[in-house]
Amino acid sequence: MSMNNRNVITTILSTFVSVGASVCVASDFTIENHGIATEVNGNEISLQFYTPSTVRVIKNSVGTKVEKQSLSVVSTPGNVKFNARQSGKYITVKSDSITVTIDTASGKISFLSPDGKKLLREGDNVSFTPVDDAGEASFKVRQDFCLDADEPIYGFGNLENGRLSQRGLKRTLMPGNIEDGIPVFVSVKGYGVYWDNYSPTTFVDDKDVSYFESEVGDCVDYYFMYGKNADGVIGEMRRLSGEVPMFPLWTYGFWQSRERYKSQDEIVEVVNKYRALGVPLDGIIQDWQYWGNNYLWNAMEFMNPEFNNAQKMVDDIHANNAKVIISIWSSFGPSTRPYKELDSKNMLFDFSTWPQSGIAEQWPPRMDYPSGVRVYDAYHPEARDIYWNHLKRLYDHDMDGWWMDSTEPDHLDFKAEDMDTKTYLGSFRKVRCAYPLLTVGGVYDHQRKESDRKRVFILTRSGFFGQQRYGCNVWTGDVASTWETLRNQIPALLNFTLTGNPNSNSDIGGFFAGAYNKSYGDNSAVKNPQFQELFVRWMQFGAFTPMMRSHGADIKREIYYFGNRGETVFDAVEDAIKLRYSLLPYIYSTSWDVSRHNSSFMRPLMMDFPKDRNGWDCGDQFMFGRNILVAPVVKANYTSEKIIDIDENTGWNRQENAGNDAVAEMDFMTPVNTDIYLPAGTSWWDFETNEIYKGGKKIVKPTTIKTLPLFVKAGSILPIGPDVQYATEKSWDDLEIRVYPGADGEFTLYEDEFDNYNYEKGSYSTIGFSWNDKTRTLTVADRQGEYQGMLSNRTFKVVVADKKSKIVNVSYNGSVTTVKL
């Protein structure tokens, strides 16, 4: 790419070009396919347009050969028309959506909006420091950026630092157990930057400069995306790295889990009890050790004698109208068939991973009996084939999905030389952060090839940029059962959303909860008001995450352990579950908006109200879909928050159990005032009371343990589903349609077969609802599309939140219908 090898036409000072042009402009830059190239201060700089709003920037030392195949980015440069011009010392390149300038004296790049507003500029430092990467010559690479002093930025993964805006962040970004650092951020100014590097990458933001620095890289490689707002940036991210496939409807119901069900009778009994109680449930999860001892770790077979008829287990669960997913890992014990096959092909790593002891039954672990468990080389396509070939034994049992644990993967007793481990794509250091992307992608791709009869559903502990394309929901790992951790989950999941990944959740109640037991293992915490209050609040928050899943160690969390119907805690938990089910038509329609229009489930206030500075750093409230404001109670109103510190290391060492004793019973129904901020620019309806408030101010709402503060934006239209025990129990033939007046509004109800991939072939329907606030008229538009089993005729029960009109039954046969209310 040296300028000496380029055809330079020095008489042309500016030109208008499109894809395929090979014209050079002046001596300072060359027009190439999809962009330009230049050389400044010993560095080659290349700009490549992927869309009119997204440009890739590549920098490398002159003479350095760069051949990079992105693992996250799956699109290619597009047919983008742009204008390139040199004026003085600046090269200016314009598309319809962004302007990029390069200072030919310093090489610094600036990005501007079409109207000339400065969005982002590079700082003074771009550096390539030679390093030895496991015997290969490479570089530590760094690029500086300059942000406005008052400019909040978001993203970077599901960091557990309790902050929404990540200004001032200093963090090495890489996958881990309880957080996944991802090198991408979004600005409130409507742009984003993805740093395309898979080695451990540090992001630093201080008063002087912001920068990315990666341990290994042949070049600086990043993408600037201008979307005008956060939704637009996320759209650009997904155009680069893959769209979001739809999950089945049943994934949005309530999920119960535990570390762990110790027999097939136990897991089936849990489903039976939920059905007997009449508490809704859609899924249950079998955690680890169904395979037997640790030498058989992740054998992908049922060799534990307590699971002696696995097919009957699956069939019994299905017969009770529930789904089951099962734990699988990225590592294998030495006595398993996958281990032996992978080992014979040198596709296993040698660094220490979980579990370290071969004896699962003893605690603390017997380290004199090492497990021999090893992580597999997910970077190798043949290794991913082998993984699926063994996983197919479980798939053939008609499993409904996969709980892919330790996809970071677990890396214990870290030694620097571990990073020299050879992988199919180079050193482990070079590709470390892409491990979850590739191991999860391997399962998704193979199952899609296997059959389209059911949609892929993967619950996984780690994520990376682009992983949204692989049908996965990422949870925040083995988080502690503390109020601080609960509060941290909200900004963590919101920032994860802003990496382009819309599907996430956390262990409801926190994973390590033993501190709330009087003594380890007696399950007393379910009667401990300190844990009861925390668990209820986490359940209420969990009802408004993309997956509602109760899970953890030390405590059995099934609803019937918390008491009986009619008792406060039981009822509060059941209320949260039933609220979730009532909103399934809204949630499923939102999932279509996510897949089709690049929307998001959990939305920080800055997404929908970017002009309201009061919402820029609001980390304890969020929009769920485009209509519902969720303000969960995330502080203890009735008990003490005092708890010892717990993390995934102390938790697994059982050091958390010196914590709190049970306290006296509490009156959880005593009202306590809760402060809530209502964003400016609209009015808000209290979902519980149907009172309306003007936005742009704080209000005080009395709450009890049963209260989850929810507010609906004026102009919203919400479909409310039937009372069901599982998601598909009843058809949606008599949905309640709630209209929240005060502004014009619209909503699209989406329906399909609720599973399989026929929707990708056009088998689905949409029904548009629009509200004219001035005339108080609701119009139900012509139905668009069709699918097998579609309701041809139905009744909508329409009600307006202000109660000025009674419920109106609207018969609908697919043709436009108007009703005045």
Side-chain angles (χ1 to χ4, degrees):
M1 201 159 111
S2 170
M3 291 296 294
N4 293 330
N5 297 325
R6 292 183 182 136
N7 234 340
V8 178
I9 301 177
T10 58
T11 58
I12 301 177
L13 296 181
S14 68
T15 188
F16 182 77
V17 297
S18 61
V19 171
S22 58
V23 180
C24 304
V25 181
S27 59
D28 286 326
F29 71 96
T30 300
I31 302 252
E32 299 185 333
N33 286 343
H34 316 295
I36 70 146
T38 189
E39 185 179 303
V40 181
N41 293 336
N43 293 328
E44 296 179 349
I45 302 173
S46 173
L47 304 181
Q48 298 175 356
F49 282 95
Y50 277 62
T51 73
S53 301
T54 294
V55 62
R56 181 187 184 188
V57 176
I58 306 171
K59 299 182 180 181
N60 57 276
S61 297
V62 171
T64 302
K65 185 177 182 181
V66 176
E67 294 180 357
K68 177 180 176 181
Q69 177 65 48
S70 180
L71 301 177
S72 289
V73 175
V74 294
S75 66
T76 55
N79 296 326
V80 178
K81 291 184 178 180
F82 60 89
N83 180 281
R85 180 187 300 271
Q86 180 188 351
S87 178
K89 69 172 186 174
Y90 290 100
I91 300 168
T92 301
V93 186
K94 290 185 178 182
S95 71
D96 290 341
S97 300
I98 52 176
T99 297
V100 187
T101 67
I102 304 175
D103 186 324
T104 59
S106 67
K108 291 192 292 187
I109 299 175
S110 297
F111 304 91
L112 299 89
S113 64
D115 61 1
K117 179 181 178 182
K118 185 188 297 180
L119 299 170
L120 177 69
R121 64 183 177 89
E122 292 182 343
D124 292 332
N125 186 21
V126 56
S127 61
F128 303 90
T129 305
V131 296
D132 182 295
D133 178 31
E136 298 289 332
S138 190
F139 300 94
K140 176 187 288 187
V141 292
R142 169 175 164 168
Q143 175 65 63
D144 289 8
F145 297 96
C146 296
L147 305 175
D148 292 347
D150 62 346
E151 176 185 358
I153 56 174
Y154 313 89
F156 299 106
N158 50 13
L159 305 184
E160 293 283 334
N161 59 12
R163 296 160 46 192
L164 185 60
S165 172
Q166 296 297 326
R167 290 306 301 266
L169 181 68
K170 296 181 181 180
R171 186 71 63 101
T172 297
L173 305 171
M174 56 189 294
N177 181 333
I178 61 170
E179 66 175 34
D180 298 305
I182 303 174
V184 59
F185 70 84
V186 177
S187 167
V188 76
K189 293 166 68 173
Y191 73 84
V193 173
Y194 168 53
W195 177 265
D196 195 20
N197 187 291
Y198 317 112
S199 70
T201 295
T202 299
F203 180 80
V204 173
D205 174 57
D206 58 33
K207 62 183 179 64
D208 297 318
V209 71
S210 308
Y211 65 84
F212 286 107
E213 184 175 68
S214 295
E215 290 187 6
V216 178
D218 294 330
C219 59
V220 164
D221 187 357
Y222 70 89
Y223 294 79
F224 178 88
M225 301 160 285
Y226 181 52
K228 299 181 181 179
N229 53 44
D231 278 301
V233 176
I234 288 174
E236 292 299 308
M237 289 182 189
R238 294 185 191 155
R239 277 182 277 277
L240 280 176
S241 61
E243 308 294 335
V244 181
M246 290 193 72
F247 288 150
L249 176 64
W250 48 263
T251 66
Y252 297 112
F254 175 63
W255 285 78
Q256 185 63 61
S257 182
R258 187 194 300 171
E259 192 285 299
R260 55 188 159 89
Y261 298 118
K262 296 183 179 180
S263 72
Q264 67 182 65
D265 291 339
E266 186 175 36
I267 191 173
V268 172
E269 181 186 24
V270 171
V271 178
N272 291 341
K273 284 187 174 181
Y274 270 86
R275 292 290 179 252
L277 279 170
V279 176
L281 177 76
D282 258 276
I284 196 155
I285 307 173
Q286 178 56 51
D287 205 343
W288 57 7
Q289 294 182 355
Y290 59 87
W291 47 72
N293 63 58
N294 285 357
Y295 300 111
L296 294 170
W297 186 265
N298 196 36
M300 296 176 175
E301 296 184 67
F302 292 93
M303 290 184 286
N304 184 329
E306 296 299 324
F307 295 85
N308 59 5
N309 191 342
Q311 191 58 59
K312 183 178 186 302
M313 175 189 74
V314 174
D315 292 344
D316 286 348
I317 292 170
H318 286 168
N320 238 332
N321 299 296
K323 306 293 184 181
V324 57
I325 69 176
I326 196 164
S327 174
I328 56 176
W329 288 61
S330 299
S331 52
F332 297 96
S335 296
T336 64
R337 288 191 279 177
Y339 181 104
K340 293 174 182 177
E341 184 173 0
L342 290 161
D343 188 38
S344 71
K345 297 175 178 290
N346 197 29
M347 296 177 183
L348 294 171
F349 300 150
D350 287 330
F351 56 75
S352 181
T353 193
W354 178 274
Q356 293 175 296
S357 172
I359 304 174
E361 297 77 16
Q362 291 189 347
W363 200 270
R366 286 288 302 271
M367 301 304 289
D368 53 338
Y369 285 86
S371 68
V373 174
R374 295 166 69 190
V375 172
Y376 91 106
D377 186 355
Y379 306 100
H380 200 306
E382 186 181 357
R384 298 194 295 271
D385 292 343
I386 293 170
Y387 191 96
W388 173 256
N389 290 339
H390 289 278
L391 180 57
K392 197 171 180 303
R393 288 192 291 271
L394 296 178
Y395 177 81
D396 289 342
H397 279 297
D398 203 21
M399 288 291 169
D400 298 295
W402 315 110
W403 187 1
M404 296 189 69
D405 210 335
S406 187
T407 46
E408 28 320 322
D410 272 311
H411 185 178
L412 308 179
D413 299 335
F414 175 82
K415 300 187 293 291
E417 56 265 30
D418 292 346
M419 301 299 276
D420 292 338
T421 297
K422 296 293 186 181
T423 80
Y424 180 77
L425 295 178
S427 74
F428 190 46
R429 179 184 299 103
K430 182 178 181 180
V431 290
R432 169 71 183 88
C433 297
Y435 192 92
L437 177 73
L438 292 172
T439 190
V440 170
V443 172
Y444 176 86
D445 287 340
H446 280 93
Q447 186 173 333
R448 284 302 308 262
K449 291 177 183 177
E450 188 74 29
S451 172
D452 272 359
R453 67 185 177 88
K454 63 169 65 177
R455 297 176 195 166
V456 180
F457 178 64
I458 297 170
L459 173 64
T460 185
R461 197 166 77 182
S462 292
F464 195 67
F465 188 76
Q467 203 163 310
Q468 74 281 345
R469 67 180 182 255
Y470 288 137
C472 66
N473 191 309
V474 177
W475 95 93
T476 52
D478 300 335
V479 295
S481 299
T482 69
W483 286 95
E484 180 182 13
T485 303
L486 170 57
R487 286 189 285 269
N488 288 351
Q489 299 312 293
I490 299 176
L493 298 188
L494 293 175
N495 276 308
F496 192 71
T497 290
L498 290 168
T499 67
N501 289 277
N503 293 302
S504 58
N505 71 103
S506 65
D507 291 346
I508 290 176
F511 185 78
F512 294 113
Y516 295 95
N517 285 326
K518 290 181 181 178
S519 59
Y520 179 71
D522 67 359
N523 210 50
S524 65
V526 294
K527 302 300 182 184
N528 182 343
Q530 288 181 302
F531 184 72
Q532 289 176 335
E533 184 180 7
L534 175 64
F535 184 76
V536 168
R537 295 309 191 190
W538 213 314
M539 281 287 289
Q540 292 169 343
F541 163 59
F544 289 88
T545 61
M547 185 180 188
M548 186 183 188
R549 180 185 58 92
S550 173
H551 176 72
D554 313 317
I555 295 172
K556 296 177 180 178
R557 298 149 195 254
E558 289 77 13
I559 189 172
Y560 40 82
Y561 289 111
F562 289 91
N564 300 303
R565 187 173 281 116
E567 297 175 0
T568 301
V569 174
F570 182 104
D571 290 352
V573 172
E574 184 178 35
D575 288 349
I577 295 172
K578 287 193 169 185
L579 175 61
R580 173 76 169 198
Y581 277 84
S582 72
L583 291 171
L584 283 182
Y586 174 80
I587 293 170
Y588 198 62
S589 297
T590 298
S591 76
W592 170 247
D593 195 29
V594 169
S595 292
R596 183 62 177 267
H597 302 118
N598 289 313
S599 188
S600 300
F601 288 102
M602 298 181 67
R603 305 169 60 83
L605 300 188
M606 54 76 65
M607 290 188 75
D608 295 282
F609 310 97
K611 295 181 180 179
D612 186 350
R613 287 175 171 256
N614 292 319
W616 281 6
D617 202 21
C618 183
D620 57 0
Q621 298 178 195
F622 58 95
M623 296 294 292
F624 188 70
R626 298 180 185 272
N627 303 98
I628 300 175
L629 174 68
V630 186
V633 178
V634 290
K635 65 179 182 180
N637 286 333
Y638 303 97
T639 62
S640 170
E641 289 195 8
K642 186 177 181 181
I643 196 74
I644 60 175
D645 291 334
I646 309 169
D647 61 28
E648 72 275 19
N649 296 312
T650 59
W652 280 115
N653 288 333
R654 305 299 194 236
Q655 295 172 11
E656 82 281 23
N657 302 303
N660 301 343
D661 290 332
V663 296
E665 291 188 8
M666 292 286 173
D667 180 7
F668 286 132
M669 295 304 293
T670 301
V672 178
N673 287 337
T674 298
D675 293 335
I676 296 161
Y677 178 71
L678 301 177
T682 186
S683 295
W684 296 93
W685 291 87
D686 187 316
F687 185 82
E688 178 188 28
T689 67
N690 279 348
E691 296 177 84
I692 189 169
Y693 300 88
K694 186 177 181 180
K697 63 181 181 180
K698 283 188 176 182
I699 66 166
V700 177
K701 180 177 173 63
T703 61
T704 70
I705 192 69
K706 291 186 177 182
T707 308
L708 168 57
L710 301 175
F711 293 82
V712 184
K713 187 171 61 174
S716 295
I717 303 167
L718 299 187
I720 305 298
D723 185 8
V724 293
Q725 293 299 294
Y726 55 94
T728 57
E729 182 187 17
K730 299 176 183 177
S731 64
W732 292 351
D733 56 356
D734 60 349
L735 294 181
E736 178 182 324
I737 305 298
R738 293 187 190 173
V739 178
Y740 292 85
D744 293 343
E746 58 185 26
F747 184 83
T748 299
L749 177 68
Y750 172 84
E751 297 169 298
D752 61 18
E753 296 170 61
F754 297 141
D755 207 338
N756 73 50
Y757 288 97
N758 288 340
Y759 78 90
E760 292 182 344
K761 305 168 187 175
S763 294
Y764 63 87
S765 75
T766 58
I767 301 173
F769 296 81
S770 58
W771 170 253
N772 185 309
D773 199 59
K774 183 177 181 180
T775 63
R776 291 182 63 87
T777 301
L778 180 71
T779 300
V780 188
D782 290 329
R783 181 176 53 231
Q784 303 295 315
E786 61 181 1
Y787 61 92
Q788 186 174 352
M790 183 182 71
L791 291 168
S792 299
N793 298 282
R794 66 205 302 170
T795 298
F796 293 120
K797 299 176 180 178
V798 181
V799 61
V800 181
D802 60 12
K803 300 181 180 179
K804 291 181 180 179
S805 60
K806 297 180 180 179
I807 294 177
V808 176
N809 291 323
V810 177
S811 297
Y812 181 73
N813 63 7
S815 297
V816 63
T817 302
T818 300
V819 57
K820 193 164 185 176
L821 299 159

